[in-house]
Amino acid sequence: MDYVAGISWPRSGHHMLVRLLQKYFGPGFQYCNFYAEPPGCCGTVPCSTPRKTQLSKNHDFDLKVPQVAGQKYLIQYREFVPSVVSNFELYVRQGNPDTQASFRTFVSAEFARYRGFVDKWVTSEFGRRQLVLRYDDFLADPAAGLARAVAYFDADTPVDPERIRMAVDTIDGERIEQSKVTRLQASGVHQPRDVTAFRHYRPALFEKLAKLTLTRHEVARVYEGLHNKPVPENKMLQLQTHESPETLRAALERHMAVKARKAAGTSKINKQTD
């Protein structure tokens, strides 16, 4: 069985795939979660002792994990909106504020990491040569997704459909919400939570989140260059929906020109009145 480096976004989806692989392969499947610092862990990705490990875990939050030629990577990712809701739940579990304002700021900042992850691992030429599992597709057809992963680890052995079915039907599930993790014993793979049921859900806000394109840094560089002051936080998400820094600059310059004309018109009227 080959060693594979697991790279995933978000965190929760990786756990489900690991449990499914452990169900399918049994005790011989060795998984390394080096974030938990298990005894004897080499602490590197890819693993420096691959003969002892079949899968190691990394989320590459700092985008510094190397892309090694010839090394197998299993990459799992999710669309931004449901993934950021999941990550916010974990953020709250760590003791951070659970408010509408903190959610908006969290989402705004998190988008840069998400876009960097997708650019590096999903849409890059390197990523396209690896096994990429979109989390939502995986949940829609977990048997097909698991079969692809099993074949990636053990290409020389035919996939066993019965073992696939058993793993998918009997895996323990997890529900994470409002700082609490609930284990759903032997519940099988279940469908993702409906984001419209999220306590901070607002239709207009979530439509905006689906359109995010720019990072906070890109917005700040353009806005502060024109206005010489920080971006108001209540405007940040809207500004992040612009297609590019160039289109953002053009929109801000048009807005400034309109304000200047209005101000000039008001000044002219005041002078005539005087």
Side-chain angles (χ1 to χ4, degrees):
M1 192 187 306
D2 290 340
Y3 162 71
V4 177
I7 311 294
S8 68
W9 188 290
R11 289 167 277 191
S12 57
H14 182 84
H15 295 157
M16 178 182 294
L17 180 58
V18 169
R19 296 198 305 274
L20 283 168
L21 289 167
Q22 289 171 329
K23 280 267 189 182
Y24 181 91
F25 286 115
F29 186 86
Q30 298 300 310
Y31 166 65
C32 177
N33 175 9
F34 70 85
Y35 289 108
E37 300 180 350
C41 178
C42 66
T44 62
V45 173
C47 181
S48 64
T49 58
R51 286 179 293 180
K52 298 180 181 179
T53 306
Q54 276 69 58
L55 175 64
S56 60
K57 167 186 177 179
N58 202 284
H59 302 298
D60 198 14
F61 289 142
D62 58 7
L63 300 179
K64 293 181 179 180
V65 171
Q67 294 179 325
V68 180
Q71 168 64 56
K72 283 187 171 184
Y73 293 81
L74 190 160
I75 301 150
Q76 190 174 29
Y77 80 106
R78 192 174 190 180
E79 296 302 318
F80 178 66
V81 172
S83 77
V84 81
V85 169
S86 175
N87 283 349
F88 183 74
E89 296 288 19
L90 296 172
Y91 173 80
V92 170
R93 286 181 60 206
Q94 295 166 355
N96 294 293
D98 183 12
T99 64
Q100 177 78 204
S102 67
F103 175 67
R104 291 175 64 95
T105 302
F106 177 85
V107 170
S108 174
E110 192 82 345
F111 181 71
R113 293 202 300 170
Y114 178 83
R115 198 184 77 178
F117 180 94
V118 170
D119 288 347
K120 177 178 178 179
W121 291 108
V122 179
T123 60
S124 68
E125 182 179 346
F126 182 90
R128 290 194 293 269
R129 294 196 300 268
Q130 311 303 322
L131 175 57
V132 178
L133 294 177
R134 183 173 172 271
Y135 185 61
D136 301 271
D137 293 339
F138 179 74
L139 289 182
D141 191 348
L146 178 58
R148 290 181 65 200
V150 166
Y152 199 57
F153 281 90
D154 193 1
D156 296 329
T157 305
V159 175
D160 185 335
E162 182 59 25
R163 286 164 66 189
I164 292 286
R165 185 199 61 76
M166 178 276 298
V168 169
D169 289 348
T170 63
I171 186 178
D172 289 350
E174 282 185 347
R175 181 173 61 243
I176 305 175
E177 55 187 356
Q178 291 187 287
S179 76
K180 182 180 179 182
V181 179
T182 303
R183 177 59 62 91
L184 308 173
Q185 189 172 6
S187 63
V189 176
H190 57 283
Q191 291 302 303
R193 63 184 293 172
D194 179 2
V195 295
T196 64
F198 178 53
R199 59 197 173 281
H200 299 309
Y201 175 81
R202 304 291 185 275
L205 170 62
F206 273 62
E207 287 177 13
K208 192 178 300 179
L209 301 190
K211 298 176 182 177
L212 293 186
T213 304
L214 301 179
T215 67
R216 290 176 67 91
H217 176 71
E218 289 171 328
V219 169
R221 187 169 54 194
V222 174
Y223 187 95
E224 292 172 12
L226 291 173
H227 294 281
N228 198 30
K229 63 181 181 180
V231 185
E233 191 60 42
N234 64 349
K235 294 183 178 180
M236 178 61 81
L237 282 174
Q238 182 61 45
L239 296 179
Q240 285 181 259
T241 64
H242 282 268
E243 183 178 343
S244 68
E246 292 73 27
T247 59
L248 171 61
R249 177 179 295 277
L252 292 175
E253 287 175 341
R254 287 195 300 271
H255 181 69
M256 292 169 67
V258 169
K259 287 185 66 176
R261 287 196 297 270
K262 287 183 177 179
T266 301
S267 176
K268 184 176 180 180
I269 291 172
N270 287 340
K271 286 181 180 180
Q272 292 175 346
T273 302
D274 293 343

